[in-house]
Amino acid sequence: MSDVPALLPVEEARARILERCAPLPTEWVPGDDALGRALAEDVLARRTLPPWDNSAMDGYAVRTADLSSPLPVRLTVGETVFAGKLPTRELTPGTCARIMTGAPLPPGADAVVMRERTRPLAPDSVEVLEAVAPGNFIRPRGEDAREGDVLLGRGTPLGIPELGLLWAQGMTSVPVPRRPRVAVLSTGDELCRADEPPDGRIVDTNAPALALAVRRAGGLPTLLGIARDTREAVQEALARTDGFDVVLTSAGVSVGDHDFVKDALGALGVEQHFWRVAIKPGKPLVVGQRGPTLFFGLPGNPTSSLVTFELFVRPALRRLLGIQDVEPPRVSGRLDGRLSKPPGLAHFVRVTVSWRAGELWAKPLGTQTSGVLRSASAATHLLHFPREISSLTDGSHVELLPLSWVA
């Protein structure tokens, strides 16, 4: 462990990456293609919504002044107002209007009594059984948006409700950073494609898995295939990455005789920002840059590549998409079991969680080796076991990171 003090803490490594990420150039895209990106500019409301006071309930639009008499109060029903139709009569003393949810309030009405608090007497007469205050069950004009106001600010991440707001304004396209173009390269003589006979090799799962992770994070992945274990082959493959915003490689970043990724990056003029992070799995991570392109040399073990993607690459892609708050989400829980390790490396332990007595309980999976995908498949969260701590007892309060690769 003599090299541990020189390793970069995970938080500092992520901060160094993010300070080199700026939103990509703006494009206008249909709303359904903007999901997961952030607005590139302020969007002003074009319409006041709702455009009129409307009913939040099926019932009767009333004048509250008419309900001051001892209950029940008998009112004359002047008309029925359906959603999508405008009222035709103003309420006068002693009258009301049958009204449906979402329908505009008639002039003169200042409250709605829900249907369950009334008793119809005839087609044009109803008894109101309870008094209500002004504004009862009314959605006021402009409650959602007012024309000319900032509806959503620059940098707002676009989820489904935000896109609903934009569609309600009649906006069919929105300004967002373009999606990052990401090259994905595997390295290793021991690898073959899934459609090839193994012949003593193992199937490359890293590249297709990382490509799916890129797509889920909002990027556009391109698979570059498998580079063999020579510096020339790795360098030739990396030389084909011009025009990409991010390049991901897996394997070849440690200290083995066939680990050529760092040398190949250096030969291509990539400035190395750091190498090795104080985490497990995923310590031999290398990050560099050439021009605007970010290079991530991820570890070769399948779970290590997925964990380092989650901790470092996904936040970078989200920042390129214009999102500012890109730190991995965290929730609090308790440890179901015991964990121990030497101090020095932060461990990200694969766990499953269950809800018990109002708290999340995290149970470590049986294997934590970084070459096993089955435990990555079973995991729902990563448990952060801090670098300076050597043991966690049963019931310890822990920090949990929900996994974005969970279906």
Side-chain angles (χ1 to χ4, degrees):
M1 299 277 302
S2 60
D3 61 341
V4 169
L7 302 183
L8 208 57
V10 59
E11 296 81 9
E12 184 177 344
R14 186 161 52 240
R16 289 193 189 185
I17 293 167
L18 293 178
E19 70 185 13
R20 292 170 171 84
C21 297
L24 293 170
T26 300
E27 62 180 4
W28 285 78
V29 301
D32 55 2
D33 190 33
L35 184 67
R37 309 192 223 182
L39 279 173
E41 58 187 58
D42 291 347
V43 172
L44 303 184
R46 301 173 179 178
R47 303 169 178 172
T48 294
L49 295 176
W52 8 250
D53 293 347
N54 71 96
S55 178
M57 190 70 62
D58 290 347
Y60 292 85
V62 299
R63 294 164 17 100
T64 54
D66 289 335
L67 306 183
S68 58
S69 302
L71 296 173
V73 171
R74 183 169 181 166
L75 299 175
T76 299
V77 180
E79 66 173 326
T80 298
V81 187
F82 292 94
K85 302 293 184 181
L86 293 173
T88 61
R89 301 183 185 181
E90 180 176 357
L91 295 193
T92 56
T95 67
C96 65
R98 186 180 294 108
I99 195 166
M100 306 303 164
T101 303
L105 215 64
D110 64 353
V112 171
V113 178
M114 63 189 302
R115 185 173 59 185
E116 293 85 344
R117 299 293 184 264
T118 65
R119 181 167 56 236
L121 300 177
D124 62 350
S125 182
V126 66
E127 276 189 342
V128 177
L129 306 179
E130 72 174 12
V132 294
N136 188 66
F137 288 130
I138 291 177
R139 300 167 178 158
R141 177 180 184 273
E143 181 182 37
D144 212 11
R146 289 191 174 273
E147 183 179 356
D149 288 351
V150 175
L151 182 69
L152 294 171
R154 179 179 180 270
T156 300
L158 293 176
I160 294 171
E162 290 78 17
L163 289 169
L165 281 173
L166 297 175
W167 281 319
Q169 293 292 321
M171 294 187 65
T172 57
S173 61
V174 292
V176 290
R178 65 167 174 80
R179 295 192 181 279
R181 297 185 286 263
V182 183
V184 183
L185 173 70
S186 288
T187 69
D189 289 338
E190 75 279 13
L191 300 178
C192 67
R193 300 192 311 269
D195 59 354
E196 292 181 307
D199 295 333
R201 298 174 295 176
I202 59 174
V203 172
D204 173 29
T205 60
N206 284 356
L210 289 170
L212 289 176
V214 166
R215 189 173 291 115
R216 177 166 280 193
L220 300 173
T222 298
L223 293 171
L224 299 184
I226 301 169
R228 296 305 162 197
D229 276 332
T230 68
R231 174 172 167 169
E232 293 74 22
V234 174
Q235 187 170 325
E236 187 277 330
L238 289 172
R240 295 185 278 115
T241 59
D242 287 346
F244 288 97
D245 304 297
V246 175
V247 178
L248 304 181
T249 68
S250 62
V253 292
S254 193
V255 293
D257 291 342
H258 287 177
D259 290 336
F260 295 112
V261 169
K262 291 203 296 109
D263 288 344
L265 291 175
L268 292 171
V270 176
E271 177 189 0
Q272 180 178 301
H273 294 320
F274 62 83
W275 174 48
R276 299 187 302 177
V277 183
I279 60 172
K280 182 181 180 180
K283 182 173 74 171
L285 171 74
V286 62
V287 174
Q289 190 169 11
R290 184 182 63 188
T293 305
L294 275 172
F295 290 80
F296 291 84
L298 306 181
N301 281 318
T303 300
S304 295
S305 68
L306 288 176
V307 169
T308 49
F309 182 95
E310 192 79 3
L311 296 177
F312 304 108
V313 183
R314 188 170 183 268
L317 295 178
R318 287 169 56 78
R319 181 62 58 83
L320 295 175
L321 289 167
I323 299 168
Q324 289 303 305
D325 184 9
V326 297
E327 288 288 320
R330 298 167 175 84
V331 295
S332 297
R334 287 180 177 269
L335 175 61
D336 182 1
R338 298 173 181 272
L339 290 171
S340 62
K341 66 172 180 64
L345 298 180
H347 285 205
F348 287 87
V349 182
R350 283 151 273 164
V351 299
T352 58
V353 301
S354 59
W355 186 258
R356 301 199 322 251
E359 293 184 291
L360 280 178
W361 286 80
K363 188 174 185 61
L365 291 163
T367 177
Q368 295 293 326
T369 58
S370 55
V372 176
L373 273 176
R374 184 178 290 272
S375 64
S377 170
T380 60
H381 294 69
L382 295 176
L383 183 154
H384 179 207
F385 192 169
R387 61 184 306 204
E388 67 276 6
I389 296 175
S390 58
S391 65
L392 290 171
T393 58
D394 188 54
S396 294
H397 289 278
V398 291
E399 179 183 84
L400 304 171
L401 285 66
L403 288 168
S404 69
W405 69 59
V406 176

